[in-house]
């Protein structure tokens, strides 16, 4: 089956720093998304990563805080900028492989900010 | 905006019993409803989904029912086993543009299912 790889799997960062998370899939996908899952909570969509153009952000999420890139059909990055302890969460990418196909998730990046 | 309510938040059953998790959505435009299972420390995994043109779908011990009029959908797990223990999330989406689960997923709050051996 197709593989979704996220890196890093976990990290501990200092407040005020930034971290870039990568999502790589082994075959071309039609859509990629980024979600946040705070400890013990549900998943919240951050943005839709659009190939070759700016991401589409959900209410409460802004590009300056969560810049996203998607340079091609198999790769996307999410940066968490100027981190604070409130950003401690699991960040997950999800992908859709084709028309009328469901979303599948990567393993996530567990981020802790000290 | 779209809101998805999920109940119960926790559910404990004896092995072999059935488990039912219920969700309610608010947006009448929603027409795709997946269910994800998330084991501790793991990714959410799709276990079953249903589209609004059907009322029920089954896959072995798992079934999902949909009542569009009431905006309810439910997950039914029969003959539960300890390995069914996990957090289950329902979600709702509107099929737009590209179709399928390509529009954003709005998740329920999750149900922690514990199957006691």
């Amino acid at each position: 089956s197709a593989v979704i790889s996220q890196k890093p799997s976990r990290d501990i960062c200092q407040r005020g720093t930034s971290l870039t998370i990568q999502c790589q899939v082994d075959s071309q996908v039609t859509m990629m998304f980024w979600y946040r899952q705070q400890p013990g909570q549900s998943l919240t969509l951050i943005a839709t990563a659009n190939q070759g153009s700016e991401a589409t952000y959900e209410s409460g999420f802004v590009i300056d805080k969560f810049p996203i890139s998607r340079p091609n059909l198999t790769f996307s990055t999410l940066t968490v900028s100027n981190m604070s302890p409130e950003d401690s969460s699991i960040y997950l990418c999800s992908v859709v492989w084709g028309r009328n196909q469901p979303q599948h998730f990567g393993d996530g990046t567990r981020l802790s900010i000290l | 905006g779209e809101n998805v309510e999920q109940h119960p938040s926790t559910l404990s059953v004896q092995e072999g019993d059935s488990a039912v998790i219920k969700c309610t959505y608010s947006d009448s435009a929603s027409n795709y409803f997946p269910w994800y299972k998330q084991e501790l420390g793991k990714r959410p995994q799709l276990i079953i989904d249903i589209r609004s043109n059907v009322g029920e779908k089954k896959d072995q011990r798992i079934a999902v029912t949909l009542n569009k009029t009431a905006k309810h959908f439910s997950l039914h797990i029969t003959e539960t086993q300890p390995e069914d223990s996990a957090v289950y999330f329902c979600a709702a989406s509107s099929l737009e543009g590209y179709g399928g689960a390509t529009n954003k997923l709005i998740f329920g709050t999750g149900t922690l299912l514990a199957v006691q051996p």
Side-chain angles (χ1 to χ4, degrees):
Chain A
S1 60
V3 176
I4 307 168
S5 300
Q6 260 189 255
K7 292 181 181 180
S9 59
R10 60 179 63 234
D11 207 339
I12 301 173
C13 301
Q14 297 295 319
R15 67 176 68 201
T17 62
S18 298
L19 179 75
T20 295
I21 302 166
Q22 299 180 359
C23 181
Q24 176 77 55
V25 290
D26 63 354
S27 58
Q28 292 183 356
V29 298
T30 55
M31 299 193 75
M32 300 180 81
F33 302 87
W34 287 98
Y35 289 82
R36 181 175 72 183
Q37 186 174 28
Q38 295 179 303
Q41 302 297 312
S42 185
L43 290 83
T44 301
L45 180 65
I46 297 172
T48 303
N50 299 310
Q51 193 260 328
S53 64
E54 189 172 291
T56 304
Y57 289 86
E58 296 301 307
S59 176
F61 298 96
V62 295
I63 187 171
D64 289 348
K65 177 67 177 178
F66 298 103
I68 288 170
S69 78
R70 188 181 169 196
N72 56 51
L73 294 176
T74 62
F75 185 76
S76 178
T77 67
L78 167 73
T79 299
V80 186
S81 303
N82 188 25
M83 290 182 285
S84 66
E86 294 72 37
D87 295 320
S88 296
S89 287
I90 299 172
Y91 293 86
L92 299 118
C93 71
S94 74
V95 304
V96 177
W97 265 285
R99 191 177 184 89
N100 293 327
Q101 298 300 308
Q103 285 188 38
H104 294 277
F105 287 84
D107 285 332
T109 296
R110 186 178 298 270
L111 183 58
S112 299
I113 292 89
L114 303 179
Chain B
E2 170 72 287
N3 182 53
V4 178
E5 294 186 358
Q6 183 171 346
H7 299 281
S9 56
T10 60
L11 180 59
S12 181
V13 300
Q14 292 294 316
E15 182 177 359
D17 288 350
S18 295
V20 180
I21 302 170
K22 299 181 179 181
C23 289
T24 303
Y25 60 98
S26 61
D27 188 351
S28 56
S30 295
N31 53 11
Y32 173 70
F33 308 94
W35 286 87
Y36 288 86
K37 174 184 180 182
Q38 188 176 32
E39 298 177 28
L40 188 63
K42 300 288 184 63
R43 70 175 74 186
Q45 289 196 304
L46 179 74
I47 56 171
I48 197 167
D49 57 8
I50 191 168
R51 298 172 196 267
S52 60
N53 57 345
V54 297
E56 183 175 4
K57 184 177 178 180
K58 280 187 177 180
D59 183 2
Q60 300 182 345
R61 296 186 297 109
I62 294 173
V64 57
T65 59
L66 171 65
N67 182 331
K68 285 191 298 183
T69 302
K71 297 182 186 173
H72 290 170
F73 58 111
S74 300
L75 178 70
H76 304 254
I77 305 174
T78 59
E79 301 173 23
T80 53
Q81 301 167 3
E83 49 266 39
D84 294 329
S85 298
V87 178
Y88 290 81
F89 292 101
C90 63
S93 180
S94 302
L95 301 183
E96 294 180 356
Y98 206 85
T102 56
N103 208 343
K104 58 186 181 181
L105 289 176
I106 305 300
F107 282 87
T109 48
T111 297
L112 175 61
L113 173 64
V115 180
Q116 309 297 330

